Amino acid sequence: MATIGGLTNSTANSIRGYGGLASGMDRDTLIEGMTYGTTSKITQQQQKKQQLEWKQNAVRAISDMMIAFANKYTASLTSSGNLFSSMFWGRNNITTTGANSKFVSVTGTASAANAITIMGVKQMAKDAKWSSSKAVSDMKVQTGEIGKTLDPNAIDSTATGDAKYIVQDLVGKTLDFKYGGSSYSVTLGLTKSDGTLYDYRTPQGIADAINDQLSKVEVNDNTKLSDLVQFQVGGSGNVEITGNPGSNELKVVGGDRTALDLLGFPSKEDDGKTNKEWNLSSTAIGETPLDPDKLSHNITFAEKVAGKELTFSYNGTSKTIKMPTADELDGTNDNEAIRESIQTQLDSAFGKGRIKVELGAAGTDDEGKLSFTTYNPSNNTVDTTSTLTLVSGSSDLIGANGVLGIKAGATNRVNMNESLVTAGLGLKDSDFDANGNRDIKINDKTITINKNDTVNSLMKKINDSGAGVQISYQTVGDKFTFTSTEKGASGSIKISGTANGADSDGSAFLNKLFGIDSGDAVVNGGVRGQDAVVAIKYNGSDDVVELIRDSNSFTVDGLSVGVKGTFGYKLDADGNVETDANGEPLFDSDPVEIDARVNTDNIVDNIKSMVEEYNKIIELVNKELTTKPDRDYSPLTSEQKKELSESEIEVWEEKAKSGMLYGDSDLRSLSSDLRFIISGGNMEAFRAIGITTSTLYSDNGKLTLDESKLRAALETDPESVEKLFTSKAGTDADGNKTFDGIATNLKNVMDKYVKTLGSMDTKGILIKKAGSTSSPMSLTENAFYKQLAEINKQISKLETRLESERDRYIKQFTSLETLISQMNSQSSWLSQLGGY
């Protein structure tokens, strides 16, 4: 068994309570006494550190209060209470009086109060603006000729009988691939991105269609599935799938069984799997060649449309209708059967007589076309106020493969995404030249229009042309509106056309396109905007000044004025302004008076708050400065805290913290600066407006406020009050001596002691002393922080010394214990020899 003397230093140190087993001495108590000098020094440093931290917190409490005060009243211009803000002192309470005040609104800040009277408004400003003279669309939704406008890939022109509509059997089927652990599924669609149909009826058409759709599947940012997989058809007609897998595994892992069978990769049971897998590390070749007879089949018109759906929206309400059944479509008069079925269902869905469905007669431009027009059922006239839209429908009915030859979104208003000849404007190919173009001029800017332009693209072309106008389409009114981009009289709109055949001046074209009548002002001289003409008179002068402005909202001497109607000018029977003998306009007796006042309540409330918060700062500064420390209460050690309750610790530390800043030189300087916040030269002036320094010496310069005097001063001469607060020492324009106002002195004091911006050299005295969370840099650069860092170093050195002393004494006591133990053993042995 190891003796105590054989323990390591760390072990001995951790079981100090076992010392003295041989000697009977309380080793730890003895060591504690022997190291008392060092532990006392550590305690002293820890108490010194605690006191310094308390000092730092006490200074920061003052700094925080002063920073908050400065941010509110002197530093931040965004503060509503900033004493240097023009908005704070401005005449913001603006009122208008007079019978015509309803025609004028006034806001803002007036530097010259009550200086302006508005005598009248001769005319309002108007931007040049023009709208179509009539509804521009044909007010109906119209299909193409039923069954005649399909994509060539959707109809078999060689078919005999009625079964001429092609169904491509690969459409809608899927192919599944696996690459590098990720799976990709490709659905074989019918429509290309340009709206035409894929052709899955020939080997090459299939290869092209699949490859095109593979190119739309992203494997990663730089790779498409088409970069890894390519379909082609070999000379024998078999499909060949070539892979480019690189170092990854690439497979065809399945898909729709019908698709795989049609492509010559028949699905079979393979170890319980539904489909085979074809590894594309080399080319996979179909087991059987493509059979064109199996790639598509034909159906009849009835089979294509029977039971299919169309969804209409009428004034925001949507309903879905179905096409007739196959029994109702007998091939003799199918178009009429469709019309009747749709009419019956629309009557039921939206109300009888509200939507009329008509079938174009043979020999007309509308032959075989269905048209849908909104009607007023009470008088059986066209309802131009209601909107009707074909929202959606089965692909066999609408779109490139639809027998109705119409797209989703078609409406009885202008179809914005359709070409000009199909948008419902009544334009035809013959309205354009041989190249499909036609020129118009807007404000002498030539704009070339193509028949294939959509309405949206035409509007963008006009808006981007630099013609100085913006065009928009008003759906409810079914009209185009042109607005000048130049304001008031600077703006104008003039539109002209170019000849084309019988349309010698382009007027017929403009009528169809924009709804412009030949006698309209927009084509005869143009439409021009006008400026506002407002008569004002400055008080103290008999002269009337007519202001000409391009807007009905403008600024006059710090006031934002808005006019909302004409008034004031005397008019004769013909509506002309009457004038005096000198040709000056005459006015009625109801001018609009403007009264601009400061917000007295707001200013008084803010100054009252400022005085209260300023006095609290003085109280706190002087309390800290004059409170003597109680020498009987030092910071508690950790051992002392163990002997006290939490409440006892709190009471003790409250007393120990007091007086930390007693007699502090920086606080004494601050207290002195605060005491004289009102410059001596301004004493009487401030007394006159109700702000004085307390005459009690114990108040240390607190301010007192007489609200009634301040309110009266603000009501009579707010500008003088503002000057008194914000003035700076010097000489004014008249050579009179000026003094720093309260706001200026406050700002100077706040900057001197708690400025948080700039380098540490330019920061405030208290910020340099104790730092502040409002200035992050100062938290580790202040004087107290540096002193605390030195104390921490001293504590660390003393703790290292204490540890060394303890280890040395433990070794000595351990050696003593070992020696005593050996002596005890020898004594015992000698005692045993004496027995012999």
Side-chain angles (χ1 to χ4, degrees), residues 207-222:
D208 292 343
I210 295 176
N211 289 330
D212 184 50
Q213 291 171 87
L214 291 176
S215 69
K216 299 173 184 177
V217 179
E218 288 192 2
V219 175
N220 54 51
D221 291 342
N222 301 316

Side-chain angles (χ1 to χ4, degrees), residues 562-580:
V563 293
K564 297 175 281 188
T566 58
F567 69 91
Y569 284 82
K570 286 188 176 182
L571 305 177
D572 60 22
D574 297 325
N576 299 314
V577 175
E578 294 184 9
T579 58
D580 61 16

Side-chain angles (χ1 to χ4, degrees), residues 33 37 127 134 250 266 298 341 345 371 380 416 455 461 463 549 593 605 626 648 697 759 800 827:
D127 293 339
K134 60 181 181 180
L250 178 64
N298 289 3
S341 176
Q345 293 180 74
S371 62
N380 198 34
M416 305 301 287
V455 178
K461 187 182 289 186
N463 291 338
R549 297 291 184 266
E593 304 285 350
D605 289 344
T626 59
E648 289 173 329
Y697 185 81
S759 65
T800 301
S827 176

Side-chain angles (χ1 to χ4, degrees), residues 599-776:
N599 191 335
T600 303
D601 290 339
N602 181 65
I603 295 175
V604 171
D605 289 344
N606 272 278
I607 291 178
K608 180 180 178 182
S609 296
M610 183 273 290
V611 169
E612 291 172 351
E613 292 174 33
Y614 170 78
N615 289 340
K616 286 180 182 178
I617 292 174
I618 288 180
E619 283 184 8
L620 179 60
V621 170
N622 285 283
K623 176 185 176 184
E624 293 289 354
L625 182 61
T626 59
T627 300
K628 294 182 179 180
D630 190 336
R631 304 301 180 186
D632 293 333
Y633 290 88
S634 299
L636 293 169
T637 65
S638 57
E639 293 299 323
Q640 289 172 330
K641 288 182 178 180
K642 292 178 183 178
E643 299 174 2
L644 300 174
S645 66
E646 288 187 9
S647 60
E648 289 173 329
I649 292 173
E650 185 177 345
V651 171
W652 182 283
E653 290 193 339
E654 186 66 31
K655 293 181 178 180
K657 288 178 183 179
S658 65
M660 287 291 103
L661 300 178
Y662 175 69
D664 185 273
S665 60
D666 291 327
L667 289 195
R668 187 178 295 110
S669 174
L670 172 59
S671 176
S672 177
D673 288 340
L674 292 172
R675 182 184 292 273
F676 302 107
I677 209 67
I678 299 180
S679 301
N682 284 337
M683 283 282 190
E684 290 305 316
F686 272 105
R687 189 183 306 279
I689 67 170
I691 300 175
T692 59
T693 302
S694 172
T695 57
L696 294 176
Y697 185 81
S698 59
D699 279 344
N700 297 295
K702 286 184 179 179
L703 297 177
T704 61
L705 174 64
D706 185 330
E707 290 186 40
S708 61
K709 284 186 177 181
L710 177 60
R711 191 177 296 276
L714 289 168
E715 292 288 349
T716 56
D717 192 358
E719 286 76 23
S720 293
V721 177
E722 178 185 2
K723 272 185 188 177
L724 199 53
F725 268 80
T726 61
S727 63
K728 292 185 178 181
T731 304
D732 63 18
D734 298 324
N736 299 315
K737 189 175 181 180
T738 59
F739 304 91
D740 285 338
I742 282 183
T744 304
N745 282 332
L746 282 172
K747 180 172 176 54
N748 291 338
V749 170
M750 297 302 151
D751 285 349
K752 179 179 178 180
Y753 290 94
V754 293
K755 183 181 179 183
T756 57
L757 301 177
S759 65
M760 284 302 297
D761 291 338
T762 62
K763 285 184 169 54
I765 291 171
L766 299 187
I767 305 302
K768 293 178 183 178
K769 189 184 190 81
S772 169
T773 55
S774 297
S775 176

Side-chain angles (χ1 to χ4, degrees), residues 113 153 169 230 238 265 300 314 337 393 399 409 429 465 505 543 607 656 710 713 789:
N153 290 332
D169 294 315
Q230 278 291 308
N238 296 63
F265 294 85
T300 65
Y314 174 72
D429 290 342
S465 68
D505 58 0
D543 294 333
I607 291 178
L710 177 60

Side-chain angles (χ1 to χ4, degrees), residues 201-268:
R201 295 172 298 167
T202 65
Q204 191 58 50
I206 290 174
D208 292 343
I210 295 176
N211 289 330
D212 184 50
Q213 291 171 87
L214 291 176
S215 69
K216 299 173 184 177
V217 179
E218 288 192 2
V219 175
N220 54 51
D221 291 342
N222 301 316
T223 305
K224 309 289 186 184
L225 194 54
S226 58
D227 297 326
L228 306 173
V229 181
Q230 278 291 308
F231 279 68
Q232 58 188 16
V233 180
S236 60
N238 296 63
V239 171
E240 298 177 358
I241 311 175
T242 302
N244 181 29
S247 59
N248 291 316
E249 184 181 57
L250 178 64
K251 292 181 178 181
V252 179
V253 295
D256 191 286
R257 295 187 64 171
T258 302
L260 292 168
D261 287 341
L262 290 173
L263 294 174
F265 294 85
S267 304
K268 297 179 181 178

Side-chain angles (χ1 to χ4, degrees), residues 206 255 280 310 338 350 390 417 483 508 521-522 582 586 620 710 819:
I206 290 174
L280 298 182
L310 294 173
I338 291 173
F350 300 116
L390 176 60
N417 293 311
T483 304
V522 79
N582 297 319
L586 296 174
L620 179 60
L710 177 60
L819 179 60

